[in-house]
Amino acid sequence: MIEIVNLSKSYNRGAVKAVDGLNLKVRPGEIFGFLGPNGAGKTTTIKMMVGLLKPDSGSVTINGYNILEDSLAVKQSISYVPDTPEVYEKLTGIEYLNFMGDVYGVSGTLRKERISALLDLFELGEAVGDLIQSYSHGMRQKIVLVGALLHEPEVFILDEPMVGLDPRSSNNLKNYMRDHCAKGKTVFFSTHILEVAERLCDRIGIIHRGRLIACGTMEELKELSESKETLENIFLELTEK
């Protein structure tokens, strides 16, 4: 579903190696957690995956399409929610969702059904007629999530998706992610909330200074660690090394 091969990206004319020869495979039906300290290369990797940054070298293939050679095909089959989503503030919530439905070609009847269900999921129905500029940070995060899920993407890519969400919405999103993968689809997300990653993810990758230093199930990660306890302890130990 996702295959990353020898992916690299540098800044400042090569002085800063943000991502350094990254190799990673994520399978269908899998929730994959992508962890790392600040500046480790998580967001740079994700931006290359979705076509917002061009890699210096290497390749990203999603659903059988190369992001550089078939970027439109990739983007039609994925959804991406960035860590700081930008939204058209002069639109109402429903205008934004209809715009997203048009972009992804979601038909009228199906669109209404999905919008209604997703608004209920994130408890946003009462505010959907208001201008987005009046929304709080959490409400903006919710409307972006609804828009991203409208076409039921094969691969759902999120960068720090829980930030700004209230506990109920956060829990509903986690349940949706699990149901999404139960249909054979894929979720790839970065997070600093290690307890969420430990409970939710099928596999976890840890990136540090641009390199993947560990990848596997919780049991496999425990084998790499002396502590063999929580993901937090494993993460701290591996990144210190």
Side-chain angles (χ1 to χ4, degrees):
M1 190 67 76
I2 300 173
E3 184 173 8
I4 297 172
V5 179
N6 295 326
L7 194 68
S8 295
K9 180 68 179 179
S10 296
Y11 297 110
N12 295 337
R13 299 180 180 179
V16 179
K17 199 81 169 181
V19 178
D20 188 6
L22 181 65
N23 290 281
L24 184 62
K25 285 187 178 181
V26 182
R27 299 182 286 261
E30 185 171 55
I31 297 180
F32 189 90
F34 196 48
L35 313 182
N38 290 334
K42 301 185 301 298
T43 295
T44 297
T45 298
I46 288 173
K47 285 184 175 180
M48 288 190 284
M49 290 172 63
V50 301
L52 291 177
L53 282 178
K54 185 176 180 180
D56 297 337
S57 60
S59 65
V60 177
T61 303
I62 300 179
N63 298 323
Y65 299 104
N66 183 286
I67 187 61
L68 294 180
E69 298 171 0
D70 301 289
S71 62
L72 186 58
V74 171
K75 291 172 184 177
Q76 286 174 333
S77 66
I78 70 171
S79 273
Y80 165 54
V81 177
D83 54 346
T84 53
E86 299 292 337
V87 197
Y88 299 108
E89 294 187 342
K90 297 301 182 182
L91 296 180
T92 64
I94 193 63
E95 287 172 339
Y96 171 76
L97 295 179
N98 279 315
F99 167 72
M100 294 299 292
D102 290 340
V103 168
Y104 286 107
V106 182
S107 64
T109 303
L110 185 59
R111 181 186 306 188
K112 289 180 180 179
E113 292 174 358
R114 289 181 180 172
I115 286 176
S116 177
L118 289 167
L119 288 175
D120 286 345
L121 182 70
F122 292 108
E123 300 179 335
L124 203 58
E126 292 184 2
V128 74
D130 300 336
L131 287 173
I132 292 175
Q133 67 181 10
S134 70
Y135 284 13
S136 66
H137 174 74
M139 292 169 68
R140 293 184 187 211
Q141 183 77 354
K142 291 179 185 182
I143 201 72
V144 168
L145 284 165
V146 173
L149 292 170
L150 200 51
H151 68 295
E152 295 191 345
E154 290 297 319
V155 177
F156 193 23
I157 300 172
L158 308 100
D159 196 355
E160 297 289 351
M162 311 300 176
V163 174
L165 293 183
D166 58 81
R168 185 182 300 277
S169 295
S170 180
N171 183 67
N172 289 344
L173 175 60
K174 287 180 281 187
N175 290 337
Y176 186 97
M177 291 162 69
R178 176 51 63 196
D179 292 342
H180 190 71
C181 289
K183 301 173 184 176
K185 301 182 180 184
T186 301
V187 172
F188 182 104
F189 78 106
S190 75
T191 183
H192 285 300
I193 308 174
L194 301 184
E195 294 86 352
V196 169
E198 183 172 357
R199 293 195 307 268
L200 188 62
C201 295
D202 299 301
R203 286 194 306 138
I204 293 166
I206 301 175
I207 187 173
H208 186 43
R209 296 176 181 171
R211 290 180 173 271
L212 192 70
I213 61 170
C215 185
T217 63
M218 271 300 298
E219 292 304 313
E220 290 168 339
L221 292 180
K222 286 179 181 179
E223 293 302 315
L224 301 175
S225 166
E226 295 177 3
S227 67
K228 302 184 185 300
E229 295 180 1
T230 65
L231 179 58
E232 181 179 22
N233 291 336
I234 294 168
F235 176 87
L236 292 174
E237 180 184 329
L238 294 178
T239 53
E240 283 174 3
K241 288 181 179 179

